[in-house]
Amino acid sequence: KGTLWFFNGGKFDCYFLWKHLVKLGYNIKPDSILKHGNTILTFTILTGEEKKKGEIDVKDLYRFLPGSLLSNCKAFDIPKKYWKKDFNHELIKNWEDVETHKAEYEKYLKYDIISLTEIYKAYAKMVFESHKLHVCKFVTASHLVMAAWVGKLDKRQQDLLIKTNVMDEE
């Protein structure tokens, strides 16, 4: 059981990952897929032999921390050696260019992962120290904030939040 984080990839990167996983024979847990419009917020990959031994939740840290990876590196005072790097995307116009500039974009992609990791660690630590909540258990900032707020209420106030059964709403 674990969580795989991406950053603002719900419209492109996540679909690419999903397609590749299915091609490799992994199963996506159908009731785990949460989308908003054409953006994937989260889904779960079934892993292991017979795809029944484990689950990896795929989530988007951008749903908690809008802004670019670089702006989040700065906001969380991540050491500069871990900051997201830049890459001139206009260099890639065909498959030949992909091979020609491979070293450059591999470094760029490597630092996407490094900066995302450092941002997640800083953010998750801050949230845990402030609210004793694990970021990986939530899907969006509003989801997390609701849990933090409810956690500050006393038992009687928490009970009032769930007084009306949704089934009885009509």
Side-chain angles (χ1 to χ4, degrees):
K1 181 78 177 156
T3 306
L4 174 65
W5 291 93
F6 59 97
F7 195 83
N8 199 20
K11 290 187 178 183
F12 176 75
D13 298 342
C14 209
Y15 284 96
F16 181 74
L17 172 65
W18 189 330
K19 181 180 177 181
H20 192 67
L21 288 167
V22 170
K23 193 180 209 179
L24 291 173
Y26 288 91
N27 295 320
I28 307 299
K29 190 174 179 183
D31 63 347
S32 72
I33 303 164
L34 183 59
K35 288 176 56 181
H36 182 265
N38 65 347
T39 302
I40 296 174
L41 300 177
T42 186
F43 66 92
T44 300
I45 306 162
L46 300 174
T47 65
E49 286 182 30
E50 300 175 26
K51 312 301 181 261
K52 295 179 183 174
K53 288 195 173 179
E55 297 181 353
I56 299 173
D57 297 325
V58 180
K59 297 183 179 184
D60 189 349
L61 194 59
Y62 182 77
R63 297 293 155 192
F64 297 83
L65 301 171
S68 68
L69 279 173
L70 183 57
S71 68
N72 276 287
C73 285
K74 293 174 184 177
F76 284 96
D77 292 322
I78 303 300
K80 280 190 176 185
K81 67 181 179 178
Y82 300 125
W83 283 15
K84 176 182 173 47
K85 305 297 183 221
D86 205 9
F87 176 74
N88 181 359
H89 290 79
E90 292 179 16
L91 293 173
I92 308 295
K93 294 182 175 58
N94 54 48
W95 285 109
E96 188 177 297
D97 292 342
V98 170
E99 286 303 315
T100 302
H101 299 285
K102 188 174 184 175
E104 295 167 75
Y105 73 73
E106 281 182 344
K107 180 180 179 184
Y108 167 76
L109 294 173
K110 174 183 172 184
Y111 278 91
D112 271 7
I113 295 165
I114 291 170
S115 61
L116 173 59
T117 301
E118 294 301 314
I119 293 164
Y120 174 79
K121 289 190 306 189
Y123 179 63
K125 181 180 179 189
M126 180 191 73
V127 168
F128 187 78
E129 287 175 352
S130 300
H131 303 286
K132 303 300 182 245
L133 296 172
H134 296 279
V135 174
C136 61
K137 295 188 181 213
F138 302 92
V139 178
T140 63
S142 57
H143 187 201
L144 174 65
V145 168
M146 179 66 167
W149 177 69
V150 169
K152 301 283 184 204
L153 301 176
D154 64 35
K155 176 72 173 125
R156 188 185 67 77
Q157 291 169 318
Q158 289 178 19
D159 288 344
L160 287 174
L161 288 176
I162 56 171
K163 206 66 164 168
T164 304
N165 188 324
V166 174
M167 299 291 285
D168 298 334
E169 186 64 28
E170 285 187 30

